[in-house]
Amino acid sequence: MSIEVVEVRQQDVALLVEKFKAASQKICMMFATEGVYRKPYIDGLPHFQACSYEKMQEIVTSITFFKELCEEQIAEGYKLKDNSSFVWRAFRKLDFVPRADVFNHMTDENLVEIYSVDNKQLYRNFKFFECCSYTLEELYSVEWWNLYERNAAMTMKIFDLGVKVATGEIPDSYIPDIEPHLLKEVKEDGQSFMQQVKLISPLKRNRRVEGLLVIETAEPVNN
């Protein structure tokens, strides 16, 4: 690879770093207006900069999507903590069609996450960030399954249910028979929660299941 190409790639990486920093800072400023204070990134962005160039591009696209989602929610006079309107906004922006009953299972106290069928986390609601001590850099740069730990059997049970919903074996919203269990952040001084999965539901795009909605509760526990 020529020196010129290396220099161009370094410039491209530097631009992505600045885009990530700007987006994460703006998100944290919006969070702060509703009483949630999060650090946007670690000095030097070690997790982001450890990613491949292609992964960095994907991360910047993802965090920009969420920044714009927050900005639109606020611009229209809604709170980020208003689950129904914020989740509905995410459905529209992701072009997902949910099952008709999902909002019957959702309150502002629930954690709500949206995943693609290939296991990428596409959306986390405001309550998720209230219950999380990771920086935005860690959340966006590290695969979500490397950030948390739970009982292996419980993890497999949840994964199997997700596969059944994603493949259409479970075609409707499903209330899983999963007891509350301990979920821990994998880091020094990480937080622990008693988590319960309340609902798993398919999300369709062009009449095909392309995503999963997961509604949960999480109660902090002392480590």
Side-chain angles (χ1 to χ4, degrees):
M1 184 178 294
S2 69
I3 294 175
E4 291 81 4
V5 171
V6 170
E7 289 178 347
V8 169
R9 178 53 60 90
Q10 289 175 339
Q11 292 171 1
D12 290 342
V13 168
L15 180 60
L16 291 175
V17 167
E18 291 307 311
K19 286 183 176 180
F20 181 87
K21 289 170 69 174
S24 61
Q25 289 169 353
K26 182 62 183 294
I27 291 168
C28 288
M29 289 173 60
M30 290 186 282
F31 282 178
T33 65
E34 298 194 28
V36 171
Y37 301 93
R38 286 287 167 266
K39 188 175 179 180
Y41 46 80
I42 299 168
D43 291 344
L45 284 78
H47 299 288
F48 182 77
Q49 300 219 68
C51 297
S52 68
Y53 179 73
E54 290 72 21
K55 180 65 175 177
M56 287 182 183
Q57 290 179 305
E58 181 182 316
I59 291 167
V60 168
T61 297
S62 182
I63 198 168
T64 300
F65 162 84
F66 188 69
K67 178 185 74 74
E68 292 174 351
L69 197 71
C70 292
E71 289 172 333
E72 292 167 9
Q73 178 81 350
I74 293 169
E76 293 186 19
Y78 294 98
K79 296 288 189 182
L80 298 177
K81 62 182 63 176
D82 181 351
N83 249 353
S84 296
S85 62
F86 200 26
V87 173
W88 181 250
R89 189 177 303 279
F91 288 155
R92 286 187 299 169
K93 202 169 180 69
L94 291 165
D95 197 27
F96 279 144
V97 178
R99 302 298 295 175
D101 63 340
V102 296
F103 291 101
N104 298 333
H105 298 271
M106 190 186 303
T107 74
D108 287 346
E109 295 305 308
N110 292 141
L111 281 68
V112 180
E113 300 171 80
I114 296 175
Y115 294 86
S116 66
V117 292
D118 58 355
N119 225 12
K120 292 181 180 178
Q121 199 170 34
L122 304 177
Y123 167 84
R124 312 166 182 90
N125 72 333
F126 184 75
K127 187 67 177 180
F128 179 99
F129 292 95
E130 286 186 326
C131 298
C132 172
S133 68
Y134 285 114
T135 64
L136 295 189
E137 179 199 0
E138 290 167 306
L139 287 172
Y140 280 91
S141 303
V142 182
E143 299 294 357
W144 62 265
W145 54 81
N146 291 324
L147 294 174
Y148 295 92
E149 63 180 16
R150 59 159 67 88
N151 176 276
M154 191 67 67
T155 297
M156 186 55 65
K157 188 173 184 179
I158 295 170
F159 177 78
D160 287 345
L161 283 173
V163 170
K164 289 178 179 179
V165 173
T167 59
E169 185 177 342
I170 298 177
D172 298 308
S173 297
Y174 182 74
I175 300 175
D177 181 22
I178 297 176
E179 62 272 18
H181 55 276
L182 187 66
L183 181 72
K184 298 193 294 185
E185 293 179 341
V186 183
K187 68 172 186 173
E188 187 177 355
D189 299 326
Q191 299 185 37
S192 298
F193 304 89
M194 288 302 296
Q195 184 194 52
Q196 184 165 23
V197 181
K198 289 184 57 180
L199 189 82
I200 301 177
S201 186
L203 298 171
K204 290 189 175 182
R205 184 187 293 134
N206 298 324
R207 299 185 179 182
R208 295 179 53 186
V209 176
E210 297 284 351
L212 302 176
L213 174 74
V214 182
I215 301 175
E216 307 148 315
T217 60
E219 296 295 332
V221 299
N222 294 327
N223 291 331

